């Protein structure tokens, strides 16, 4: 193992240090480790180039002196190789480090660890005392998050099996545009080409593995894509008026846009968009909530209560 | 899952990362260096031995890196080519963008920092040529988690405003925080509660605010929250299976089959049945079913009287 990595490091150093393109024969003659028959050395070099590129190292291929334009040459431009974040302060480093630390022990742990090492190698001290004392942590995600992330960065389409509302297994194929997390869950979304519409999926409803399909650079990500906007089929908001008991229904109280004191109760006004989950939330609060408006919602609550009596009486 | 990188690639990546790291931390102990890279000192020693053999073509003392680590402390000279850390990869940039979005969500109204974070996100997003449309939050506030971690390390008591989800009740408690635990993705604080004079577990996302106390509060005798015993309910689902599976925390769910659910909170079962009115029916225990019917009847009467 160390023979190969030693050769890769030496190749990187040589290609970085050279001002002009190095030809293959120069590389084979001067860099340690390219030993064996001509064929095997060629194959070794091809693999090494692929390996360095898989690490994100940009190897440029170019001609030599126009008079001897018979063999391709290689080099790595230092400006492409090195980290350049522009002017950064110790405070910026502290914020970026916190952003990476949020992944500690989570789905992107290894990626974030490598980022942290780079930030710590810049020779700029992190000014952690200047930023608020925070301990950010990402919501839990399955390892498939890394696959979605990779697919977004390489613009690769993905295929997966998804649990429908009645727990049937559905096959889906999308061009993934974005990732987000809300209320402890991870979501990803993009264009479902079979349905020709934007769809959002909850990561923990994916069954098994997510597969990359097709080739990279398959699509463009629209700059203003909003994952949560495409999640609700109807983005229409409704207004509700509720009576809620004092010191109760904290979750609904937090959503209120207006509140007036009625003694034992408070009358609050609030907006909601997902009618079905709003109904569930009203019922969750039992007899601490009374729906005053809209009439539709009141009817639904009465129907639900009637059903509860019938089923449990 | 994303493909794991082959061992020599991971090794090369580490070797390349080591040079700038040591350059920025001249004289670091071998132990600390190994810890920073999450490897054993044996592996780090092997890495340094490999690096010691690397350099510019020629590979004489003039071209090789000058690496010293025999004393247990590591210094590097003559490695100008690899001195700068490597550029960020696409996945690294996106991981940072997601992290910055969470940070922004955590920092609240502190506009100076929000602007700072936005500026960093824009810079990274342009660098990667990827829109910064990431929207990340976590029900647990980074500020509250940070305060708890600090209080645990300094052994300081806390005063918390706690909202119990199942009882829908606010309480103020003085506690001695002991340990953070994560179970199935949910973060809990294990603490001694002075109010209950006993150890209690709190969900961190239910802590609405907290304050660090200067000294230990005295013993309080307000012991009315006795931990409840577990019981088994039997429930039948008729629709919305995915929602039922998630709401009741099940591995799987079937239509019209008796499902046994173990829980510690009667309130949780009753509320969950109400919220699932058209889709779930509680068959047993019968006294809870009777309580559900009674409560629903009472609520119905109130609507009819409106």
């Amino acid at each position: 193992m160390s023979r190969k990595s030693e050769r890769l490091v030496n190749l990187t150093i040589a290609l970085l240090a050279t001002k002009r393109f190095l030809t293959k024969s120069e590389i084979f003659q001067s860099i340690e480790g390219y030993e064996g028959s001509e064929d095997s050395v060629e194959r070794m070099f091809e693999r090494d180039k692929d390996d360095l590129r898989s690490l994100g190292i940009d190897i440029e291929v170019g001609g030599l002196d126009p008079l001897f334009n018979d063999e391709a040459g290689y080099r790595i431009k230092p400006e492409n190789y090195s980290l350049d974040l522009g002017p950064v302060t110790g405070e910026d480093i502290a914020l970026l480090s916190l952003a990476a630390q949020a992944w500690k022990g989570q789905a992107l742990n290894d990626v974030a660890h490598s980022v942290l090492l780079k930030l710590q190698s810049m020779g700029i001290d992190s000014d952690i005392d200047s930023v608020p004392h925070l301990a950010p942590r990402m919501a839990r995600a399955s390892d498939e998050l890394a696959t979605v992330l990779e697919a977004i960065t390489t613009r690769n389409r993905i295929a997966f099996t998804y649990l429908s509302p009645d727990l049937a297994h559905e096959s889906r194929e999308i061009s993934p545009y974005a990732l987000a997390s809300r209320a402890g869950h991870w979501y990803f979304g993009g264009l479902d080409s079979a349905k020709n519409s934007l769809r959002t999926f909850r990561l923990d409803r994916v069954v098994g593995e997510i597969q990359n399909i097709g080739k990279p650079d398959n699509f463009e990500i629209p700059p203003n894509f909003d994952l949560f906007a495409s999640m609700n089929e109807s983005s229409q908001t409704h207004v509700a008026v509720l009576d809620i008991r004092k010191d109760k229904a904290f979750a609904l109280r937090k959503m209120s846009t207006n509140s007036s004191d009625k003694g034992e109760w408070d009358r609050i006004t609030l907006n909601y968009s997902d009618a079905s989950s709003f109904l569930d939330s009203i019922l969750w609060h039992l007899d601490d909530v009374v729906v005053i408006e809209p009439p539709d919602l009141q009817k639904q609550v009465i129907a639900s209560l009637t059903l509860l009596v019938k089923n449990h009486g | 899952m994303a493909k794991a990188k082959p061992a020599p690639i991971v090794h090369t990546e580490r070797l390349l990362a080591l040079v700038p790291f040591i350059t920025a931390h001249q004289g670091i102990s071998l132990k600390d260096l190994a810890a920073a890279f999450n490897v054993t000192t044996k592996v780090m020693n092997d890495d340094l031995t490999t690096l010691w053999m690397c350099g510019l073509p020629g590979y004489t003392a003039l071209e090789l890196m000058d690496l010293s680590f025999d004393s247990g402390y590591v210094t590097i000279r003559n490695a100008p080519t690899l001195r700068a850390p490597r550029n960020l990869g696409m996945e690294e940039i996106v991981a940072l963008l997601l992290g910055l979005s969470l940070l922004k969500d955590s920092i609240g109204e502190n506009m100076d920092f929000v602007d700072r974070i936005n500026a960093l996100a824009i810079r990274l997003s342009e660098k990667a040529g990827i829109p910064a449309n990431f929207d990340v939050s976590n029900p647990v506030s980074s500020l509250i988690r940070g305060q708890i971690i600090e209080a645990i390390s300094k052994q300081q008591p806390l005063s918390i405003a706690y909202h119990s989800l199942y009882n829908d009740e606010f309480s103020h408690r003085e506690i001695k925080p002991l340990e953070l635990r994560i179970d199935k993705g949910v973060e809990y604080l294990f603490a001694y509660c002075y109010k209950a004079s006993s150890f209690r577990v709190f969900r961190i996302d239910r802590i609405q605010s907290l304050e660090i106390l200067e000294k230990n509060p005295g013993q309080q005798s307000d012991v009315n929250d006795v931990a409840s015993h577990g019981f088994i309910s039997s429930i039948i689902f008729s629709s919305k299976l995915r929602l039922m599976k998630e709401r009741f925390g099940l591995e799987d769910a079937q239509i019209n089959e008796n499902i046994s659910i173990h829980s510690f909170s009667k309130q949780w079962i009753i509320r969950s049945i109400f919220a699932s009115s058209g889709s779930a029916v509680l068959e047993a225990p019968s006294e809870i079913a009777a309580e559900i019917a009674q409560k629903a009847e009472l609520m119905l009467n109130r609507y009819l009287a409106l």
Side-chain angles (χ1 to χ4, degrees):
Chain A
M1 176 167 101
S2 70
R3 289 288 302 161
K4 164 140 185 164
S5 27
E6 189 180 324
R7 190 176 69 236
L8 287 172
V9 171
N10 280 328
L11 178 62
T12 308
I13 295 175
L15 293 179
L16 261 173
T18 181
K19 297 271 187 297
R20 56 176 182 84
F21 290 101
L22 289 182
T23 63
K24 260 193 254 183
S25 42
E26 283 173 317
I27 289 169
F28 297 158
Q29 272 165 30
S30 59
I31 296 176
E32 268 198 353
Y34 289 106
E35 288 138 19
S37 69
E38 201 176 318
D39 262 13
S40 70
V41 167
E42 284 275 345
R43 275 201 308 275
M44 207 186 268
F45 180 63
E46 289 306 312
R47 266 203 308 274
D48 287 354
K49 272 192 300 173
D50 288 345
D51 287 343
L52 289 183
R53 283 179 177 139
S54 80
L55 285 176
I57 296 173
D58 187 9
I59 301 174
E60 239 192 318
V61 187
L64 279 162
D65 191 313
L67 291 175
F68 303 94
N69 197 4
D70 53 353
E71 202 184 354
Y74 304 88
R75 73 173 174 195
I76 301 168
K77 278 195 181 156
E79 59 268 35
N80 290 339
Y81 177 87
S82 316
L83 178 60
D84 179 12
L85 291 176
V88 280
T89 62
E91 195 177 286
D92 291 334
I93 298 289
L95 289 171
L96 290 169
S97 302
L98 277 177
Q101 276 158 11
W103 290 106
K104 194 167 194 285
Q106 303 291 100
L108 303 180
N109 182 69
D110 294 355
V111 174
H113 180 239
S114 139
V115 174
L116 269 179
L117 289 174
K118 287 176 182 177
L119 293 171
Q120 289 164 5
S121 303
M122 290 173 68
I124 302 171
D125 284 335
S126 164
D127 189 1
I128 194 73
D129 293 330
S130 71
V131 302
H133 189 79
L134 298 171
R137 180 188 191 90
M138 288 294 173
R140 185 174 69 149
S142 75
D143 291 342
E144 299 307 304
L145 187 80
T147 310
V148 179
L149 178 97
E150 194 186 323
I152 292 172
T153 59
T154 55
R155 316 286 197 278
N156 236 130
R157 290 173 51 71
I158 50 174
F160 53 93
T161 303
Y162 195 67
L163 285 180
S164 75
D166 54 4
L167 290 185
H169 288 197
E170 289 176 349
S171 295
R172 300 295 194 124
E173 270 187 40
I174 67 158
S175 304
Y177 290 166
L179 268 173
S181 83
R182 179 181 279 185
H185 296 292
W186 278 93
Y187 297 86
F188 62 98
L191 183 71
D192 185 329
S193 38
K195 297 193 161 62
N196 195 28
S197 68
L198 296 171
R199 291 294 160 108
T200 296
F201 303 92
R202 214 170 97 172
L203 189 65
D204 64 345
R205 291 175 182 156
V206 169
V207 184
E209 292 188 3
I210 297 177
Q211 307 288 343
N212 276 302
I213 49 171
K215 293 206 164 64
D217 289 321
N218 222 316
F219 53 89
E220 296 257 318
I221 298 177
N224 298 319
F225 177 69
D226 184 342
L227 192 74
F228 292 121
S230 71
M231 190 155 75
N232 297 329
E233 302 273 310
S234 71
S235 53
Q236 201 193 343
T237 58
H238 313 272
V239 180
V241 178
L242 312 174
D243 279 354
I244 57 176
R245 206 186 296 276
K246 280 255 163 10
D247 299 324
K248 286 287 182 181
F250 174 72
L252 296 169
R253 204 176 283 273
K254 267 212 301 206
M255 293 163 64
S256 70
T257 54
N258 191 20
S259 171
S260 62
D261 193 331
K262 291 182 65 206
E264 193 192 337
W265 300 78
D266 289 321
R267 178 156 292 184
I268 63 165
T269 309
L270 71 174
N271 300 316
Y272 65 97
S273 50
D274 184 343
S276 159
S277 74
F278 189 63
L279 174 66
D280 290 3
S281 172
I282 299 273
L283 291 163
W284 165 273
H285 288 95
L286 307 178
D287 55 342
D288 295 323
V289 178
V290 181
V291 176
I292 307 299
E293 275 173 43
D296 272 6
L297 182 62
Q298 203 185 55
K299 262 187 222 150
Q300 284 176 312
V301 170
I302 291 171
S304 301
L305 292 173
T306 312
L307 207 55
L308 279 163
V309 174
K310 182 174 146 261
N311 286 336
H312 297 93
Chain B
M1 228 197 114
K3 278 180 291 237
K5 289 178 195 158
I9 306 296
V10 173
H11 192 218
T12 305
E13 194 169 21
R14 194 166 65 232
L15 293 176
L16 292 174
L18 264 168
V19 179
F21 192 89
I22 301 169
T23 308
H25 299 86
Q26 298 283 7
I28 189 173
S29 74
L30 186 67
K31 203 168 139 248
D32 289 349
L33 186 61
F37 280 79
N38 279 343
V39 295
T40 61
T41 49
K42 162 88 177 62
V43 169
M44 186 48 72
N45 206 63
D46 291 350
D47 278 4
L48 295 173
T49 309
T50 306
L51 264 186
W52 189 62
M53 305 295 293
C54 293
L56 281 165
Y59 309 103
T60 68
L62 283 178
E63 289 94 5
L64 289 176
M65 295 180 207
D66 181 1
L67 198 59
S68 131
F69 54 100
D70 288 345
S71 59
Y73 296 90
V74 190
T75 54
I76 195 165
R77 304 269 180 267
N78 200 24
T81 331
L82 294 181
R83 195 174 47 205
R86 291 212 300 124
N87 216 341
L88 293 173
M90 289 287 268
E91 288 170 53
E92 293 176 332
I93 290 181
V94 178
L96 275 178
L97 286 171
L98 291 163
L100 286 173
S101 170
L102 177 66
L103 219 50
K104 193 164 73 177
D105 183 67
S106 319
I107 229 153
E109 256 112 73
N110 196 332
M111 286 321 287
D112 278 0
F113 283 103
V114 170
D115 291 347
R116 231 18 206 279
I117 292 168
N118 280 337
L120 284 170
I122 289 168
R123 213 186 287 176
L124 288 171
S125 148
E126 280 171 357
K127 200 172 160 62
I130 202 158
N133 49 9
F134 300 102
D135 184 357
V136 178
S137 63
N138 188 321
V140 180
S141 140
S142 305
L143 201 59
I144 285 182
R145 189 189 295 104
Q147 287 171 312
I148 292 173
I149 291 172
E150 192 178 350
I152 291 174
S153 75
K154 292 186 180 164
Q155 306 197 341
Q156 285 170 313
L158 293 171
S159 164
I160 60 170
Y162 190 72
H163 177 253
S164 131
L165 188 64
Y166 304 156
N167 294 324
D168 191 14
E169 268 169 11
F170 253 108
S171 60
H172 290 270
R173 288 161 188 262
E174 286 164 344
I175 61 167
K176 180 95 169 210
L178 298 168
E179 194 189 353
L180 284 175
R181 293 178 183 170
I182 302 177
D183 183 33
K184 298 194 175 95
V186 181
E187 293 177 67
Y188 298 93
L189 170 61
F190 182 70
Y192 180 78
C193 175
Y194 292 95
K195 188 173 184 172
S197 299
S198 157
F199 295 97
R200 284 285 181 272
V201 178
F202 301 96
R203 273 180 70 130
I204 301 184
D205 60 347
R206 309 309 310 169
I207 298 176
Q208 305 299 321
S209 65
L210 64 75
E211 210 183 308
I212 293 177
L213 299 174
E214 289 307 315
K215 54 180 184 194
N216 280 341
Q219 232 27 270
Q220 296 155 12
S221 53
D222 181 9
V223 221
N224 53 9
D225 64 340
V226 185
S228 59
H229 295 286
F231 63 95
I232 307 245
S233 307
S234 171
I235 296 177
I236 292 179
F237 299 135
S238 58
S239 63
K240 294 189 186 169
L241 280 181
R242 189 177 70 191
L243 184 63
M244 296 303 116
K245 166 184 176 280
E246 288 165 2
R247 178 168 290 155
F248 289 93
L250 304 170
E251 288 296 314
D252 197 12
Q254 257 104 42
I255 289 223
N256 296 333
E257 262 188 43
N258 260 303
I259 292 165
S260 294
I261 293 171
H262 185 259
S263 70
F264 288 94
S265 165
K266 189 173 83 173
Q267 277 297 314
W268 173 68
I269 283 288
I270 292 177
R271 288 177 188 278
S272 300
I273 292 288
F274 266 79
S276 315
S277 67
S279 306
V281 176
L282 183 122
E283 297 283 307
S286 56
E287 64 273 17
I288 297 185
E291 203 175 322
I292 289 170
Q294 203 183 2
K295 188 149 235 156
E297 186 110 51
L298 188 121
M299 290 165 67
L300 262 183
N301 290 336
R302 192 193 290 152
Y303 276 101
L304 298 176
L306 277 181

